[in-house]
Amino acid sequence: MKDQQASYPQLRFKGFTDPWEQRKLENVILKLSGGASIKPSDYSDEGVRTIPKGAVNSTGVADLSGSKFISREFFEKNKSSHASTNNLVTSLRDLVPSAPNMGRIVRIEGEREDFLMPQGVYKLELFDRMDEEFLIAFSNSDKYRKIISVEKNGSTQVHIRNGEFLNIDIELPTAKEQQKIGSFFNQLDDTIALHQRKLAKLKELKQGYLQKLFPRNGSKFPQLRFAGFADAWEERKLGEFSDVRDGTHASPKYVSQGHPMVTSKNLTHSGLDMTDVSFLTDKDFNEINKRSKVSIGDILFGMIGTIGNPVIVDRDGFAIKNVALIKEKASNPITNKWLLQYLKSPSFNRFIQKENAGGTQKFIALGLIRDMKLRVPEFDEQQKIGAFFKKIDDTIALHQRKLEKLQELKKGYLQKMFC
């Protein structure tokens, strides 16, 4: 079947020069099987796993971590909604208006297992000459994502109708070129997944050390210590040894260019993220800095909305709003490198949860931060702990950068290798 339109991708593997021909998804998908209607009362403690709507993502592999169980009897009554390992699935519904993953295609991987799909999740069976890996990669391409964005319906329950989905245009190369492209992106996804697992293990390792290197449940001694340290940790209030302030609570007039204004949204687990900031005039910047000038080595963490995400400052020249600022004092020294890790520890998280119990708007007052009680070791032990976690944080940051580069690389290839 010839089509009127033909096109060429920007980047191709050597030896392929034929034009790509436009088809509809209905020309490559042999069968689209929908999920079953599952009421809350249909779920059980054991039986057959369901495929959650959250299984669909950009990795090409179904995320089954949100699976629930239904009885074997219920499963058998809904044969048309079965899926199994190695099947392709997609979701044509999303519970959030932005629908970032709706329409992406993933494969169910793992040991041989049967699943039940809920409504909104669909199993795809393809025509013989359609390469599965190529279609998975296509579902992450910019062109396809833009089509999904245009075709989606609804506001609270965002969805795409089956007919609209099957009517989406797809440019197809020969079967051999499909296989070449599909295999390339499959290998790239495997490499990204490997780095994601390494990063997750490093973060898990750090959480384990945070639990063991800081006292728990009112104890004066941590579970794990460096050689040569045996003294009890002394209970102190944060305001006794640190200069604790906060940024402005006013709403200054923002300008298109000027001094950056940092809020809690700019505080991330990997440090300051300045990609989305508002800007201040010289006058407002200087006024705010009269009470809360930020210097390199200070600690910031969110006080409203997202509480926590402490970061140690490695640059200056910005102002802060609704953010706590902790400065080291020259007398009675407590190193911020140690304090940063305490503020990431389970002990501090328990303090935050206690102070915000039952609240609708997450907020912590400056006075509570100053009066916060914590166990403090001697200065040399602080330095040991701070340096130890600094090495872990640097390794995590390195793996995070590698992962981000791989993800950017994939994004670039998706733009250039699909018409």
Side-chain angles (χ1 to χ4, degrees):
M1 180 175 69
K2 283 285 181 185
D3 248 315
Q4 305 93 338
Q5 299 183 39
S7 52
Y8 302 84
Q10 186 179 345
L11 184 64
R12 303 182 82 167
F13 288 102
K14 188 176 180 180
F16 297 101
T17 57
D18 292 340
W20 290 24
E21 296 188 356
Q22 190 179 87
R23 296 285 188 268
K24 300 288 186 184
L25 282 182
E26 64 182 0
N27 298 134
V28 303
I29 298 174
L30 176 65
K31 186 177 180 181
L32 190 66
S33 305
S37 176
I38 308 175
K39 303 189 297 292
S41 58
D42 293 325
Y43 292 109
S44 60
D45 295 331
E46 57 183 8
V48 180
R49 285 204 289 170
T50 63
I51 297 176
K53 293 184 181 70
V56 176
N57 55 67
S58 62
T59 69
V61 178
D63 178 2
L64 302 173
S65 59
S67 292
K68 297 180 181 179
F69 290 98
I70 46 92
S71 67
R72 174 63 63 174
E73 181 184 9
F74 188 89
F75 174 76
E76 295 298 343
K77 285 181 179 178
N78 292 275
K79 291 185 180 293
S80 64
S81 299
H82 293 186
S84 302
T85 308
N86 293 324
N87 286 164
L88 299 184
V89 295
T90 188
S91 174
L92 300 186
R93 278 190 194 175
D94 210 302
L95 297 176
V96 294
S98 57
N101 290 317
M102 187 169 61
R104 296 189 198 269
I105 297 169
V106 294
R107 177 182 286 104
I108 304 170
E109 293 189 354
E111 298 292 325
R112 177 71 178 84
E113 187 177 355
D114 293 323
F115 299 86
L116 184 72
M117 300 181 297
Q119 280 186 331
V121 176
Y122 291 80
K123 179 174 68 176
L124 286 69
E125 298 174 55
L126 310 183
F127 284 102
D128 288 342
R129 289 181 61 80
M130 184 66 220
D131 185 78
E132 291 185 354
E133 300 295 347
F134 177 89
L135 188 60
I136 289 171
F138 169 76
S139 75
N140 291 298
S141 66
D142 283 354
K143 178 180 178 180
Y144 177 79
R145 301 312 306 161
K146 288 175 184 175
I147 294 172
I148 291 292
S149 179
V150 170
E151 295 292 345
K152 68 185 180 184
N153 305 283
S155 54
T156 55
Q157 180 78 74
V158 182
H159 65 281
I160 291 180
R161 299 181 182 91
N162 297 16
E164 294 168 337
F165 175 70
L166 293 171
N167 195 50
I168 289 175
D169 291 325
I170 178 172
E171 275 81 22
L172 292 177
T174 62
K176 284 187 177 181
E177 190 171 4
Q178 285 182 43
Q179 291 169 0
K180 195 82 170 173
I181 294 169
S183 176
F184 172 79
F185 279 104
N186 185 42
Q187 290 176 22
L188 188 53
D189 280 337
D190 285 347
T191 305
I192 289 173
L194 177 64
H195 278 76
Q196 286 173 327
R197 288 193 294 271
K198 286 182 178 179
L199 186 60
K201 284 182 178 179
L202 278 168
K203 289 179 178 179
E204 186 178 343
L205 180 70
K206 181 182 177 182
Q207 284 303 310
Y209 279 124
L210 283 170
Q211 289 182 342
K212 293 181 178 180
L213 284 166
F214 288 87
R216 299 178 64 186
N217 303 322
S219 174
K220 298 178 181 180
F221 303 91
Q223 185 180 346
L224 183 66
R225 302 186 84 166
F226 290 100
F229 298 102
D231 292 344
W233 288 27
E234 185 181 355
E235 186 176 78
R236 305 286 294 273
K237 288 183 179 181
L238 180 61
E240 290 178 24
F241 54 79
S242 294
D243 181 356
V244 183
R245 313 179 192 180
D246 64 351
T248 183
H249 297 274
S251 297
K253 182 180 178 181
Y254 295 120
V255 291
S256 58
Q257 289 183 325
H259 302 277
M261 168 70 95
V262 165
T263 64
S264 59
K265 71 179 179 181
N266 304 113
L267 310 182
T268 73
H269 292 295
S270 32
L272 269 178
D273 180 1
M274 306 290 278
T275 54
D276 181 17
V277 293
S278 300
F279 295 96
L280 302 168
T281 62
D282 289 345
K283 180 181 177 182
D284 285 334
F285 175 74
N286 292 330
E287 187 64 30
I288 293 170
N289 279 354
K290 286 179 181 178
R291 62 180 293 235
S292 53
K293 180 176 173 56
V294 181
S295 304
I296 293 172
D298 291 346
I299 289 176
L300 305 176
F301 72 90
M303 297 174 62
I304 295 178
T306 301
I307 298 176
N309 280 349
V311 303
I312 199 158
V313 177
D314 59 1
R315 55 167 290 177
D316 52 16
F318 62 88
I320 54 174
K321 177 179 179 179
N322 297 332
V323 170
L325 170 64
I326 302 176
K327 293 176 171 289
E328 291 182 352
K329 285 182 179 178
S331 59
N332 193 22
I334 298 292
T335 172
N336 268 0
K337 289 181 180 178
W338 172 83
L339 183 59
L340 175 73
Q341 303 305 330
Y342 174 82
L343 296 174
K344 294 182 177 183
S345 72
S347 297
F348 180 70
N349 286 333
R350 284 193 293 272
F351 169 77
I352 292 296
Q353 289 167 7
K354 178 183 175 183
E355 296 301 332
N356 280 276
T360 52
Q361 169 66 43
K362 298 298 183 183
F363 168 76
I364 185 166
L366 192 62
L368 280 173
I369 299 172
R370 286 178 176 147
D371 291 339
M372 180 180 66
K373 294 179 181 179
L374 64 160
R375 294 280 176 184
V376 182
E378 60 177 281
F379 190 72
D380 287 346
E381 191 171 3
Q382 290 178 44
Q383 289 182 310
K384 276 276 191 184
I385 294 170
F388 174 76
F389 280 111
K390 177 71 164 55
K391 287 182 180 178
I392 295 181
D393 284 341
D394 287 347
T395 305
I396 288 173
L398 177 64
H399 281 272
Q400 184 71 51
R401 287 193 295 271
K402 285 182 179 178
L403 178 59
E404 288 169 357
K405 285 181 180 179
L406 281 168
Q407 290 169 333
E408 283 298 313
L409 186 68
K410 178 182 175 181
K411 184 178 179 181
Y413 279 128
L414 284 169
Q415 290 174 341
K416 295 179 179 180
M417 294 180 72
F418 287 91
C419 295

